[in-house]
Amino acid sequence: MLVSESGAALVMDVGSPDLVDRLQKMLADGEIQHVEGLWVTHYHFDHTDGILAFQQAFDCPCYMDARLADVLNRPAAWRLPCLAPEPIRVDRPMRDGESWQWREYTMTSHFFPGQTLYHGGLLVAGGDLRMLFVGDSHTPGGLDDYCAHNRNWLGRDVGFQHCLTLIERRQPTHMFSSPGDDAVT
């Protein structure tokens, strides 16, 4: 979650309906003031399973990469692993490189096909910070798993190589991946 100076929150992925209760408690406790948006990195149910409950509880736009939008809007049309069957409302399908202003931050959507071809990264710039939210395309241990069923391609400027090129070009000060087990060393 990204929280602005105003206390407004933009949530990244909702893998469980339990998150709605946690957000409502944060609102009640004054930790956040409003929930104003949702960014979805990719279609795997551990990132989307709570979106329907989230959308019922919070009236805010749902943003994601345009390639991912069709997958989540029409899941029955796709043969992909770990894809929940319920359609998800997409308010703002974003083109690669498309930017918008949210509070004091400039948000830029990026096609980020690391773990899966249908994956987006979100670059958040404000002040001296350039934070890149990468979902599961990178982990604390490095690159995430390769799975052909995710349509994760290998080669020059595709898949993980595309992501690494984008990181070199955009030069984030911070990168945030999905929480998971500690990296094995």
Side-chain angles (χ1 to χ4, degrees):
M1 177 174 15
L2 179 66
V3 179
S4 80
E5 293 171 357
S6 70
L10 184 110
V11 177
M12 311 289 176
D13 293 337
V14 182
S16 168
D18 296 341
L19 182 61
V20 171
D21 293 335
R22 290 179 36 213
L23 290 168
Q24 289 172 331
K25 182 174 179 352
M26 292 176 78
L27 286 163
D29 292 346
E31 293 179 53
I32 57 176
Q33 301 303 310
H34 310 283
V35 176
E36 293 187 347
L38 170 64
W39 172 263
V40 182
T41 59
H42 64 291
Y43 64 85
H44 292 150
F45 63 82
D46 61 323
H47 292 258
T48 62
D49 204 33
I51 291 178
L52 295 177
F54 176 91
Q55 289 182 326
Q56 289 175 345
F58 302 104
D59 182 26
C60 59
C62 179
Y63 302 88
M64 66 188 66
D65 180 80
R67 292 164 188 83
L68 172 61
D70 190 54
V71 172
L72 291 181
N73 217 341
R74 300 179 322 115
W78 297 82
R79 287 185 62 121
L80 294 169
C82 304
L83 176 60
E86 300 85 14
I88 292 172
R89 185 189 85 237
V90 179
D91 301 297
R92 293 276 313 266
M94 309 297 291
R95 294 181 317 276
D96 182 39
E98 184 176 352
S99 295
W100 77 99
Q101 194 68 32
W102 179 74
R103 300 291 177 159
E104 66 271 20
Y105 299 105
T106 300
M107 319 292 267
T108 305
S109 171
H110 286 287
F111 174 52
F112 208 72
Q115 188 190 40
T116 171
L117 180 61
Y118 310 103
H119 198 298
L122 182 63
L123 182 68
V124 178
D128 293 335
L129 296 175
R130 296 176 55 75
M131 302 171 283
L132 183 59
F133 292 85
V134 298
D136 281 346
S137 284
H138 296 279
T139 66
L143 300 176
D144 203 7
D145 60 302
Y146 174 82
C147 174
H149 295 294
N150 282 330
R151 301 183 184 158
N152 179 328
W153 314 134
L154 297 175
R156 186 180 194 132
D157 204 34
V158 297
F160 289 124
Q161 185 61 48
H162 178 88
C163 296
L164 293 172
T165 300
L166 181 96
I167 291 167
E168 288 177 347
R169 194 175 83 237
R170 298 309 306 247
Q171 295 290 302
T173 58
H174 299 80
M175 285 178 50
F176 297 92
S177 62
S178 300
D181 297 333
D182 291 336
V184 177
T185 57

